[in-house]
């Protein structure tokens, strides 16, 4: 049976339903967190494959890797890094306010996170558009005359695979956080006993941020 508890903003937040196979809500929430940590571990393994490819090809084609890295827009990459790191702060604040039952503030913090995520994707769109225009494309589609070194097409293959996969994770994270924002805004669901959904969504978003923290120096600062 689902009960309820008063929150800091005056609304009544329901306590999550306890599944039959858990002894308590604490155990149930711990299991949810453990499941998320295991899922995040598989995500790290996914990106680890790309990092291995990056390391191998950079060792084989160091001159091409350095030249291609200098062709990227460092300013846009830096701005995107700042935007994404800041979005992790607002995602963490959403968890903080969810624990206090301040559902309106949860919605505000998630909205700020989503706004910065959109900004990140817009900047990445302009980067992609420029690369399509000048021909710094992956594999056999590469036709940029400014860098004619063996390995240059491979660099942009890794670049597009890594950043596109990361961008997909940004979109997924936006969907997850957006669902939490709707629950906070319309139903006032979150409180001291019911904030796991926001916490798990924030954990996923921190992974998105962490992956970019590795991608930025590897791709832009070679």
């Amino acid at each position: 049976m689902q009960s309820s508890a008063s929150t800091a903003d005056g609304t009544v937040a329901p306590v999550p339903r306890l599944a039959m196979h858990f002894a308590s809500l604490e155990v149930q929430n711990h299991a949810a967190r453990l499941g998320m940590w295991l899922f995040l571990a598989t995500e790290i393994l996914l990106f680890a494959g790309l990092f291995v490819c990056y390391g191998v090809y950079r060792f084989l084609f160091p001159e091409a890797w350095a030249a291609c890295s200098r062709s990227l827009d460092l300013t846009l990459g830096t701005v995107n890094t700042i935007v994404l790191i800041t979005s992790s702060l607002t995602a963490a604040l959403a968890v903080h306010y969810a624990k206090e039952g301040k559902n309106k503030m949860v919605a505000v913090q998630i909205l700020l996170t989503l706004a910065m995520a959109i900004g990140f994707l817009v900047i990445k769109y302009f980067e992609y558009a420029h690369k399509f225009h000048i021909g710094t494309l992956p594999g056999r589609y590469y036709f940029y005359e400014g860098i004619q070194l063996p390995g240059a097409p491979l660099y942009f293959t890794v670049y597009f695979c890594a950043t596109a996969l990361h961008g997909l994770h940004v979109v997924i994270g936006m969907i997850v956080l957006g669902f939490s924002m709707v629950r906070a805004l319309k139903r006032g669901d979150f409180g001291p006993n019911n904030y796991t959904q926001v916490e798990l969504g924030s954990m996923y978003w921190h992974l998105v941020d962490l992956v970019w923290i590795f991608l930025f120096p590897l791709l832009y600062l070679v």
Side-chain angles (χ1 to χ4, degrees):
M1 181 176 180
Q2 195 174 51
S3 59
S4 60
S6 297
T7 64
D9 58 6
T11 60
V12 177
V15 175
R17 187 182 301 276
L18 178 64
M20 294 179 60
H21 51 285
F22 291 112
S24 65
L25 284 175
E26 182 180 358
V27 175
Q28 178 173 286
N29 292 336
H30 177 73
R33 294 186 188 97
L34 178 60
M36 175 56 77
W37 278 116
L38 292 174
F39 172 71
L40 295 181
T42 64
E43 293 286 275
I44 292 173
L45 289 175
L46 174 64
F47 281 97
L50 286 172
F51 292 148
V52 170
C53 290
Y54 173 94
V56 170
Y57 289 130
R58 182 182 176 185
F59 175 78
L60 294 175
F61 306 103
E63 293 182 2
W65 237 244
C68 292
S69 177
R70 288 193 295 270
S71 73
L72 300 183
D73 194 319
L74 181 59
T75 300
L76 292 181
T78 302
V79 171
N80 255 354
T81 302
I82 296 172
V83 167
L84 208 56
I85 291 175
T86 306
S87 72
S88 269
L89 171 62
T90 54
L93 287 174
V95 179
H96 169 74
Y97 287 119
K99 291 179 179 179
E100 294 186 348
K102 298 178 180 178
N103 283 272
K104 292 182 180 179
M105 289 303 299
V106 172
V108 169
Q109 296 302 323
I110 294 179
L111 181 61
L112 291 173
T113 304
L114 297 181
M116 284 182 275
I118 291 172
F120 177 90
L121 294 175
V122 168
I123 292 174
K124 185 55 64 180
Y125 164 79
F126 284 112
E127 285 192 85
Y128 274 17
H130 177 67
K131 287 172 179 56
F132 274 87
H133 177 70
I134 66 175
T136 50
L137 299 174
R140 62 190 180 91
Y141 301 103
Y142 183 90
F143 62 88
Y144 181 53
E145 296 182 356
I147 304 175
Q148 292 295 322
L149 292 171
L154 284 173
Y155 174 90
F156 286 101
T157 299
V158 173
Y159 170 86
F160 275 99
C161 286
T163 56
L165 182 61
H166 177 263
L168 175 62
H169 281 72
V170 170
V171 173
I172 294 173
M174 292 173 65
I175 294 172
V176 172
L177 291 175
F179 183 64
S180 296
M181 181 181 70
V182 171
R183 286 189 61 184
L185 195 60
K186 290 189 175 182
R187 295 164 51 181
D189 276 352
F190 304 114
N193 298 314
N194 186 23
Y195 59 87
T196 305
Q197 179 180 327
V198 181
E199 183 180 21
L200 298 185
S202 178
M203 289 170 62
Y204 184 87
W205 193 255
H206 294 324
L207 171 71
V208 172
D209 185 18
L210 179 64
V211 170
W212 181 256
I213 288 174
F214 280 93
L215 288 178
F216 174 66
L218 290 176
L219 296 174
Y220 291 81
L221 304 177
V222 177

